[in-house]
Amino acid sequence: MSGIYLIISFVIAIAVMIWMISKLKVHPFLALMTISLALAIVAGIHLDKIPGIIGDGFSGTFKSIGIVIIFGALIGTVLEKTGAALKLADIVVNLVGQKRPELAMLIMGWVVGIPVFCDSGFVVLNPIREALYKKISANPVGMSVALSGGLYASHVFIPPTPGPIAAAGALGLSGNLLLVIVMGTVISLPVLAGVYFFAKKIGQDVTIDEKEADAVIAKSYDDLIKQYGKLPNGFLSIAPIIMPILFMALGSIAKILKISGICGSLMGFLGNPIIALAIGVICAVFLLANTHKLGEFNEITNESLKIVGPILFITAAGGVLGKVITDAGFVEFIKENAKVIKAAGIFFPFIISAILKTAQGSSTVAIITTASIMGMFNSADSLMDALGLTSEMAAALCVMAIGAGAMTVSHANDSYFWVVTNFSKMSPQQGYRTQTMMTFIMGVVGMLSIWVLSFILL
């Protein structure tokens, strides 16, 4: 098949996939697998080769990033079930102070959102928002927007949340998650600043029914914390997050300084993302023991696997689509006509991810699909190579661009939109003025920040 028809078939395939997910409510895993198979046939790949391509794309994803995603999800579930997420939130409130409630909610959401899904994080932290609102007469809408934005920023930018982990693996950074964590933190700062100022402004413009809001607020902030029993201490609460980062930093130091011998090997071993996150899981086990919930470890593990299972399969199906795109010759055609796509540069993955997010609703699906389309930065037959994004730093910025697109925008087809609006007692119309507009601002600010950094770092 000639190049132009390959591109047309690819565009049609993506459109059909979005239609299947958003309109027909087909599970993203089945939609991705169906489209990958259909695209392989239409693109003229020999029928004998297609099963092997599907198998390679599927297994390659599990090999590179599957264990890391499972460990990351397990850590997040333990923090949620033991009350450690609430302890982290309590630490933030004490540090920031109750006189700056929007800032407290913003930082609280951002910290808790690193290991915990944004949907779950909002449900867990919303009672604190409500109790603070009652106690200090703060603006409930502004606090909701700040909490939602803080959770969302770390959800799309910072591992061990599954989306950015999967993107890092697809782009060839599974061995250097620390770089992705650092870049995610850097990009979060201007994004969080944008959320903070928007939360302060929109809180003055949007009001909710205070009688309805008061009806669900029955406890003071202090009483709310007490109802969870004795919360774990601060170190045990943050250790499952901090320790993997410290060990990955240790591995990076060994690589940069070229430390050899037993010491270098040990540092490299402990700094491997799989081992580092395994250490995080061990810290989570100590957290369970400290909160007398070690007997629930099996149940928590099963719950984590139920949550992460669909993500793993979607990620693997995205790997199949990426493999089909590579073997069908799409990249070769794009390289031959690379002037237009190279002009788009780092904006290209952002645009693709934003289209997928807005059309079908799931940030994780948008991240995984876009990353699979882009391919690995060190592969000569990938879109990353066609765009000239061939270094680890370029790949990290691409992960960030995909994340920024995957938050642009949250509206009625996104479950997070309904979690935020319903728990905040806002109408759908108010949700569009707050949650949808906020995610648009976050995506634009994030992408502009990435673009500026690309001039400095690339």
Side-chain angles (χ1 to χ4, degrees):
M1 181 181 287
S2 63
I4 188 63
Y5 290 110
L6 277 175
I7 299 302
I8 292 172
S9 63
F10 171 72
V11 172
I12 293 173
I14 296 299
V16 172
M17 181 189 70
I18 292 171
W19 174 70
M20 290 175 69
I21 295 172
S22 60
K23 297 298 183 182
L24 300 184
K25 306 301 180 185
V26 176
H27 192 279
F29 169 75
L30 293 177
L32 278 164
M33 292 298 292
T34 301
I35 290 302
S36 298
L37 178 59
L39 189 58
I41 295 172
V42 171
I45 297 178
H46 198 281
L47 295 178
D48 291 343
K49 295 182 177 180
I50 292 176
I53 290 172
I54 292 174
D56 291 343
F58 196 89
S59 61
T61 302
F62 275 101
K63 178 182 176 182
S64 64
I65 209 72
I67 297 174
V68 173
I69 292 177
I70 291 172
F71 283 167
L74 182 57
I75 290 170
T77 306
V78 170
L79 291 181
E80 180 182 341
K81 298 296 184 182
T82 57
L86 285 172
K87 180 63 179 181
L88 295 177
D90 190 38
I91 292 171
V92 170
V93 170
N94 289 331
L95 288 175
V96 177
Q98 296 179 12
K99 292 182 179 180
R100 295 180 288 273
E102 290 90 357
L103 183 60
M105 289 296 110
L106 184 72
I107 298 174
M108 182 191 301
W110 184 76
V111 171
V112 173
I114 293 174
V116 179
F117 280 86
C118 59
D119 303 64
S120 299
F122 196 92
V123 173
V124 169
L125 298 180
N126 187 60
I128 292 180
R129 179 194 67 86
E130 292 177 331
L132 274 177
Y133 152 66
K134 178 74 172 180
K135 184 175 183 179
I136 63 178
S137 299
N139 186 289
V141 174
M143 292 174 69
S144 286
V145 170
L147 176 58
S148 171
L151 286 160
Y152 209 24
S154 47
H155 180 75
V156 300
F157 287 136
I158 305 176
T161 307
I165 285 184
L171 269 61
L173 288 176
S174 58
N176 196 358
L177 283 182
L178 180 64
L179 178 60
V180 181
I181 292 171
V182 171
M183 292 308 301
T185 303
V186 171
I187 296 300
S188 291
L189 296 179
V191 172
L192 293 176
V195 172
Y196 179 70
F197 289 114
F198 177 72
K200 295 284 286 186
K201 176 65 171 64
I202 200 66
Q204 300 171 3
D205 299 336
V206 176
T207 59
I208 59 175
D209 185 345
E210 294 194 13
K211 290 183 179 180
E212 184 180 1
D214 284 340
V216 298
I217 303 170
K219 295 180 174 65
S220 72
Y221 174 74
D222 295 329
D223 290 339
L224 175 68
I225 296 296
K226 289 178 182 177
Q227 84 174 53
Y228 290 93
K230 182 182 177 183
L231 295 179
N233 67 53
F235 174 75
L236 285 178
S237 297
I238 202 169
I241 306 174
I242 292 296
M243 296 307 291
I245 295 174
L246 291 178
F247 279 107
M248 282 189 276
L250 196 68
S252 295
I253 290 171
K255 186 185 298 184
I256 293 170
L257 299 181
K258 297 180 180 179
I259 300 174
S260 58
I262 296 176
C263 184
S265 297
L266 181 61
M267 291 172 70
F269 170 75
L270 294 174
N272 182 282
I274 292 177
I275 303 303
L277 280 166
I279 293 170
V281 172
I282 293 172
C283 291
V285 172
F286 280 108
L287 180 60
L288 285 168
N290 178 258
T291 54
H292 307 291
K293 293 185 177 181
L294 195 57
E296 299 176 23
F297 189 40
N298 182 58
E299 181 183 342
I300 288 173
T301 302
N302 285 331
E303 184 175 335
S304 299
L305 292 175
K306 288 178 183 178
I307 294 171
V308 82
I311 295 171
L312 282 172
F313 287 118
I314 293 169
T315 303
V320 174
L321 178 60
K323 183 68 173 172
V324 168
I325 289 171
T326 299
D327 286 33
F330 290 94
V331 177
E332 286 78 1
F333 173 77
I334 289 173
K335 285 181 178 179
E336 292 170 2
N337 302 271
K339 288 185 179 179
V340 175
I341 189 173
K342 278 196 172 181
I346 197 71
F347 282 91
F348 182 80
F350 169 80
I351 294 169
I352 297 298
S353 184
I355 291 171
L356 288 169
K357 163 62 181 177
T358 305
Q360 53 78 42
S362 169
S363 296
T364 303
V365 171
I367 290 173
I368 292 169
T369 305
T370 306
S372 301
I373 291 170
M374 296 303 298
M376 293 195 176
F377 78 92
N378 53 3
S379 175
D381 57 356
S382 69
L383 280 179
M384 292 290 287
D385 186 77
L387 285 166
L389 303 173
T390 54
S391 67
E392 285 196 340
M393 183 58 71
L397 287 175
C398 188
V399 173
M400 297 301 106
I402 292 170
M407 62 171 55
T408 315
V409 294
S410 173
H411 61 98
N413 64 358
D414 180 7
S415 62
Y416 191 46
F417 174 88
W418 295 110
V419 168
V420 173
T421 54
N422 288 337
F423 276 85
S424 303
K425 302 297 181 287
M426 289 190 286
S427 67
Q429 290 76 17
Q430 291 173 324
Y432 279 109
R433 291 184 63 190
T434 55
Q435 179 74 0
T436 302
M437 182 55 68
M438 178 198 70
T439 53
F440 174 76
I441 292 171
M442 292 177 75
V444 171
V445 171
M447 190 58 232
L448 290 177
S449 303
I450 294 160
W451 181 58
V452 171
L453 276 180
S454 69
F455 287 108
I456 301 171
L457 300 175
L458 299 183

